[in-house]
Amino acid sequence: MKIILSGSLGNIGKPLAKQLIDAGHNVVVISSNVDRKSAIEDLGAHAAIGSVNNASFLAETFAGADAVFAMTPPNLGGSNVIGNTVEAGKAFAEAIENAAVKRVVMLSSIGADLPNGTGPIAGLYHIEKLYEKLNTSVTFLRAGYFYINFYNDIPMIKGAGIMGANFPSDLQIPLVHPEDIANAVAEELQKVTSGKNVRYIISDVRTPSEIAKTLGTAIDKPELPWIEFTDEQSLGGMIQAGLPEEIAGLYTEMGAGLRSGKIAEDFLQSNASVDGKIKLEDFAKEFASKF
């Protein structure tokens, strides 16, 4: 199969590309960074260098493809984040249609069933709606809250001896590891399916209290507490840490959406399976190595 991967060689893209190449597929990896070309080719893939906001570039890249992994960049470095994300989704949708791609796997998120109140996830809701209109088979792969987001807590742990966010310690949070996402994407890309399908990819479901204790134990701080911040404290802390105000506001809104339970509600009520293999205790070893 000829398979096109967006997302360059990131936390998902690199293990995904390796897996598909090892399975004998003709893999093309899209990157906006020309410096990635040699690394992509060293893996045994072909590099397509260009912008995922450019529908013409994407359509040319998708020509003759059997399957596409569509991962729209969050555009967190700029302003108008939701709008920019949706514009990239529109370019993907146009290119998929023009190139008559047979199979699409889109990286989405828990909470993408909701039109608003979810922070940056709202962009994925709108992109799912765009892809629902495509004349091709699409799987919406809704991922949990990334374990690797907790790396952002390292300065707070070192500086204040706490972990925290604007959601409580007893909240059930569906979590995911990027490698589990890569495995699920590889599986879905190689399937023969029809219509539009939703699949959740979750590695573990745990509370912030359990997360703090497990990660704390791994770094010799077994009493590490989880502190629930107010929305105002959360917003102010992120801005003070250097995040642009719009981004900080979106993450604060996402935290409030998690706190209300609505972001995780569809997954938790759907009885979907926890397919990922990498549990919190496994990730804790990775966390300790980065601490």
Side-chain angles (χ1 to χ4, degrees):
M1 292 173 66
K2 181 179 180 182
I3 301 176
I4 315 298
L5 308 179
S6 54
S8 192
L9 296 181
N11 292 311
I12 298 168
K14 190 170 184 178
L16 174 59
K18 286 181 177 178
Q19 190 171 154
L20 293 171
I21 291 163
D22 288 346
H25 297 292
N26 176 11
V27 176
V28 179
V29 177
I30 296 172
S31 179
S32 60
N33 186 352
V34 69
D35 293 338
R36 287 285 185 135
K37 186 173 186 292
S38 59
I40 291 167
E41 292 173 346
D42 287 346
L43 284 178
H46 304 282
I49 306 300
S51 171
V52 294
N53 291 297
N54 185 330
S56 297
F57 160 73
L58 289 175
E60 182 180 338
T61 303
F62 294 170
D66 296 292
V68 168
F69 172 50
M71 178 179 172
T72 47
N75 285 306
L76 294 185
S79 58
N80 190 29
V81 171
I82 302 298
N84 290 343
T85 304
V86 175
E87 284 304 309
K90 288 178 180 177
F92 268 98
E94 181 182 334
I96 288 163
E97 196 76 14
N98 289 341
V101 176
K102 304 178 187 72
R103 176 87 178 107
V104 175
V105 178
M106 174 201 163
L107 181 63
S108 189
S109 171
I110 55 170
D113 55 303
L114 303 169
N116 51 51
T118 59
I121 300 170
L124 298 173
Y125 165 85
H126 294 293
I127 295 172
E128 283 198 12
K129 294 303 178 187
L130 288 170
Y131 286 15
E132 283 177 2
K133 300 174 184 176
L134 293 174
N135 186 30
T136 189
S137 167
V138 182
T139 293
F140 302 108
L141 193 65
R142 292 182 181 167
Y145 188 88
F146 280 37
Y147 285 128
I148 57 177
N149 288 338
F150 294 117
Y151 288 138
N152 297 326
D153 286 68
I154 289 177
M156 183 163 52
I157 296 169
K158 290 184 173 179
I162 61 171
M163 290 183 71
N166 60 329
F167 43 86
S169 63
D170 60 351
L171 184 72
Q172 292 287 316
I173 301 182
L175 303 164
V176 73
H177 194 286
E179 289 183 19
D180 281 334
I181 297 175
N183 291 338
V185 173
E187 183 181 318
E188 291 294 332
L189 286 169
Q190 297 173 91
K191 278 184 180 177
V192 177
T193 62
S194 61
K196 308 299 185 288
N197 305 282
V198 172
R199 174 180 172 180
Y200 283 98
I201 177 62
I202 307 297
S203 302
D204 208 346
V205 180
R206 305 293 282 270
T207 66
S209 178
E210 291 173 314
I211 291 163
K213 181 173 180 57
T214 303
L215 299 185
T217 298
I219 58 172
D220 296 322
K221 297 180 184 293
E223 303 304 318
L224 181 68
W226 179 274
I227 304 298
E228 180 181 0
F229 304 138
T230 65
D231 290 344
E232 292 74 19
Q233 288 170 331
S234 185
L235 177 66
M238 283 188 276
I239 292 172
Q240 188 176 1
L243 276 182
E245 187 170 348
E246 181 180 342
I247 307 302
L250 286 170
Y251 274 122
T252 300
E253 182 179 89
M254 182 174 71
L258 285 165
R259 182 179 69 230
S260 73
K262 66 182 183 180
I263 286 179
E265 183 177 23
D266 188 69
F267 167 73
L268 293 173
Q269 291 188 354
S270 68
N271 293 318
S273 60
V274 176
D275 292 337
K277 307 300 183 190
I278 302 174
K279 304 306 176 187
L280 176 62
E281 287 75 13
D282 302 315
F283 170 69
K285 298 171 187 174
E286 299 176 28
F287 186 86
S289 72
K290 298 269 190 183
F291 186 76

